[in-house]
Amino acid sequence: MPTEPAEPDPNASAANAAPLAGKRPAPPCTLVIFGAGGDLTKRLLMPALYNLSADGLLDDGMRIVGVNHGERETAEWRTELTESLRRFAADRASTFHTSQLDEKSWDWVVQRLQYFAGEFESDATFESLGQLLAQAPSGNVVFYLAVSARFFRPIVEHLGRAGLLKEERGNFRRIVIEKPFGTDLASARDLNAQILSYASEPQIYRIDHFLGKDTVQSILAVRFANALFEPMWRREYIDHVQITAAETIGVEARGGFYEQTGAFRDMVPNHLFQLLGMIAMEPPNSFDAETVRDKKAEVFDAIQPLAARDVVFGQYEKGPAGPGYREEPDVAPDSRTETYAAARVHIDNWRWAGVPFYVRTGKRLAARRTELCVQLKTVPFRLFRDTPVDRLTPNVLTLRIDPAHGTSFDFNVKVPGPVMQIGAAQSSFSYGDFFTERPNVGYETLLYDCMLGDETLFQRADSIETSWAVADPVLHPKDGPLPVHGYAAGSEGPAEADALLAADGRAWRSLSGTGQRN
Ligand code: BG6
């Protein structure tokens, strides 16, 4: 275990780029990544650090220590990360500054990388880590737990016992924890209690990467920076809301993880509820972290616990898009794990009582689409009774998160011609048509905010627990496990999910086309 901190070579190290307009670089700190060899580090954290470096948002006093079991040289780790970043940059130009790696910005990061071999559960690791951190140029430290959830507790406990979470002489010590944060209410409570016995709430940054997406953050801007929406954003005008996170990919190499987790735990109480919180929260008085999080907490608190009748589970079977889930690697041939979940959510407060929020997510669906659709109530038909018009389609505001970034609004217009005919029209906006989109893998803002100490986009202990409390009756159903219905890989999901909305006289928005499914 090396105990000398990485010192950027003054000849080789590129100077940091000039900061992006209107932004200041984060304060100096050491970023300690547990799980240096993992996928998250390679695919998301390093690309995000690279993008931040290119934007000049990192301080020259930054150091990055990657902890993992297994001896290896820092040089070897640097080469591996460089190769993977080069591959990603070529594959996914939109998420990076150029399709060719900008050597200067990456070199700035590479010079600060140091590999640190150590077991996550051994006292010796944390003792040596303490010595290393004592020599770092800054006393500020962010500990990033990019590890499997079973290591969250032991790592935090060891950090606490080794005294590495003590904030002294104005230095910060922060812990970033990935999802899944618990697997139900009891486990999330336990985990919170255990972590909070070593660190205070302001030191804990529970990540939900959906909140790092620019398009998710812009939900608040659309709602609160326009006079048009807020007056109608309530039960008097809104018929229902649909929140979709549909994926075309299957479980890929994550069969083992997915068998334990399933689509519901993986996506609903975290990603989908976070989107719901943004849509449903009351206007905060400021963007202050506690104010925003208080408003979201009120929404989660008002959601009624889910009942089995409000939830549909599905599992993909062999279909046009490929083999079934049970044929995937590391999946039991008789698995009952759901790869699709839909739910009808009721928010029992003055703004939303009586307005259902339908949420759905699934793997191997007809299209990749993350979006929120707010459907307004239909207007009285009286005026059109004596005309050839037979129906009016409802107004729908759609906020597109992925892969398209933008909004659209469905409304009715007169069809040109001598008779009164109404036609459905759509007005849409794409961010790319008006703005230059920033290269982004989704973790840039989250890492930067954590270094700045801004917790707005991170989840607080109480909200995590209230979200699990809503989900708990479905996770531990009194009348036995929920049925898991089959759907063809590449389809729109199970028929039972259609029936959930049909029972309310509604239909899901089509994944493959536009408008409602008939
Ligand atoms: C992750 C889930 O949190 O989010 C994955 O574990 C899922 O199963 C992913 O694929 C979806 O995120 P995104 O940003 O690709 O929509």
Side-chain angles (χ1 to χ4, degrees):
M1 284 181 247
T3 49
E4 289 298 309
E7 270 317 309
D9 171 351
N11 301 317
S13 165
N16 201 353
L20 191 65
K23 295 266 202 177
R24 61 188 155 112
C29 78
T30 302
L31 174 64
V32 178
I33 304 174
F34 289 93
D39 235 36
L40 180 74
T41 304
K42 266 189 254 172
R43 291 183 166 275
L44 296 162
L45 299 185
M46 289 302 150
L49 287 167
Y50 163 69
N51 280 339
L52 285 170
S53 156
D55 280 342
L57 295 179
L58 301 175
D59 187 277
D60 283 326
M62 178 163 201
R63 298 292 180 271
I64 303 155
V65 177
V67 185
N68 222 27
H69 49 82
E71 290 296 334
R72 68 202 304 203
E73 294 298 319
T74 288
E76 206 186 314
W77 188 46
R78 290 176 173 182
T79 307
E80 186 194 323
L81 293 177
T82 305
E83 280 167 5
S84 59
L85 197 68
R86 206 164 261 141
R87 267 198 314 276
F88 296 149
D91 283 1
R92 297 163 61 192
S94 63
T95 50
F96 294 100
H97 273 273
T98 56
S99 57
Q100 295 295 313
L101 203 62
D102 167 10
E103 301 289 344
K104 201 169 155 213
S105 302
W106 177 236
D107 193 44
W108 189 94
V109 176
V110 167
Q111 289 292 317
R112 286 163 175 78
L113 293 172
Q114 177 174 13
Y115 186 78
F116 182 95
E119 297 295 330
F120 300 150
E121 298 184 71
S122 126
D123 290 347
T125 303
F126 294 84
E127 208 175 293
S128 311
L129 188 59
Q131 289 163 15
L132 178 76
L133 293 174
Q135 297 168 52
S138 159
N140 296 327
V141 186
V142 171
F143 297 103
Y144 199 116
L145 275 50
V147 289
S148 141
R150 75 194 149 100
F151 291 118
F152 292 169
R153 281 164 186 268
I155 292 177
V156 173
E157 188 180 333
H158 276 95
L159 287 173
R161 289 214 319 248
L164 300 181
L165 297 175
K166 270 197 213 115
E167 297 191 307
E168 290 166 334
R169 294 184 290 279
N171 291 321
F172 62 72
R173 295 286 161 121
R174 298 180 181 140
I175 309 169
V176 181
I177 303 192
E178 278 289 332
K179 72 177 254 291
F181 196 94
T183 51
D184 59 7
L185 178 59
S187 57
R189 271 189 185 145
D190 265 16
L191 187 55
N192 270 330
Q194 195 252 0
I195 293 173
L196 287 165
S197 65
Y198 293 104
S200 64
E201 179 63 32
Q203 290 179 278
I204 305 167
Y205 289 68
R206 299 174 194 80
I207 273 203
D208 184 303
H209 82 271
F210 266 43
L211 293 180
K213 296 175 192 264
D214 222 24
T215 37
V216 171
Q217 291 162 41
S218 79
I219 296 172
L220 295 190
V222 169
R223 275 192 66 191
F224 300 129
N226 295 294
L228 183 62
F229 302 119
E230 195 47 27
M232 59 126 197
W233 214 259
R234 56 195 67 249
R235 62 191 160 118
E236 287 82 355
Y237 299 100
I238 292 182
D239 179 73
H240 75 277
V241 176
Q242 292 188 19
I243 302 179
T244 299
E247 298 183 274
T248 48
I249 54 169
V251 288
E252 302 191 294
R254 299 164 78 219
F257 161 79
Y258 213 76
E259 279 285 271
Q260 305 295 319
T261 309
F264 185 85
R265 282 188 169 91
D266 191 32
M267 299 289 290
V268 178
N270 31 62
H271 300 326
L272 296 188
F273 278 13
Q274 284 301 319
L275 296 179
L276 182 146
M278 304 285 254
I279 283 286
M281 69 196 269
E282 293 298 313
N285 279 350
S286 76
F287 280 113
D288 166 72
E290 287 321 303
T291 312
V292 173
R293 298 195 306 172
D294 282 348
K295 294 294 175 198
K296 268 206 271 172
E298 281 172 17
V299 173
F300 301 137
D301 199 41
I303 301 179
Q304 291 180 351
L306 290 173
R309 65 173 178 280
D310 289 324
V311 177
V312 173
F313 283 174
Q315 186 187 81
Y316 61 86
E317 294 171 344
K318 191 168 185 285
Y325 174 68
R326 292 177 178 183
E327 294 157 66
E328 301 278 14
D330 303 322
V331 170
D334 57 351
S335 171
R336 294 184 37 80
T337 301
E338 81 286 358
T339 61
Y340 176 101
R344 176 173 41 212
V345 178
H346 299 284
I347 305 176
D348 189 18
N349 66 14
W350 278 88
R351 189 185 282 266
W352 296 117
V355 179
F357 282 64
Y358 300 105
V359 304
R360 65 178 159 165
T361 183
K363 303 275 186 203
R364 280 266 189 268
L365 290 171
R368 158 109 168 111
R369 192 174 280 201
T370 304
E371 66 182 22
L372 303 107
C373 298
V374 179
Q375 181 162 323
L376 275 77
K377 291 189 167 159
T378 42
V379 295
F381 190 74
R382 176 72 185 87
L383 174 64
F384 300 97
R385 220 188 272 168
D386 301 324
T387 71
V389 176
D390 57 2
R391 69 185 190 124
L392 298 172
T393 53
N395 294 147
V396 180
L397 173 70
T398 303
L399 306 178
R400 300 190 204 286
I401 310 291
D402 267 326
H405 300 164
T407 61
S408 66
F409 189 60
D410 296 349
F411 59 111
N412 295 303
V413 292
K414 181 183 168 296
V415 177
V419 285
M420 176 51 95
Q421 284 279 18
I422 296 289
Q426 192 181 67
S427 142
S428 50
F429 145 78
S430 278
Y431 281 91
D433 293 344
F434 283 77
F435 309 105
T436 309
E437 293 196 74
R438 307 286 318 153
N440 190 303
V441 291
Y443 275 68
E444 290 81 353
T445 310
L446 297 170
L447 279 171
Y448 176 69
D449 283 359
C450 174
M451 291 185 264
L452 284 181
D454 182 346
E455 293 197 275
T456 314
L457 298 177
F458 295 85
Q459 300 196 73
R460 225 167 44 186
D462 56 336
S463 288
I464 292 253
E465 291 178 17
T466 20
S467 301
W468 279 120
V470 170
D472 235 36
V474 174
L475 299 174
H476 304 292
K478 284 201 190 75
D479 303 323
L482 265 61
V484 180
H485 307 283
Y487 63 96
S491 69
E492 299 252 348
E496 289 74 8
D498 294 342
L500 180 75
L501 269 69
D504 295 346
R506 301 188 175 99
W508 291 108
R509 308 285 295 173
S510 159
L511 290 177
S512 34
T514 53
Q516 281 185 350
R517 298 185 62 204
N518 293 313

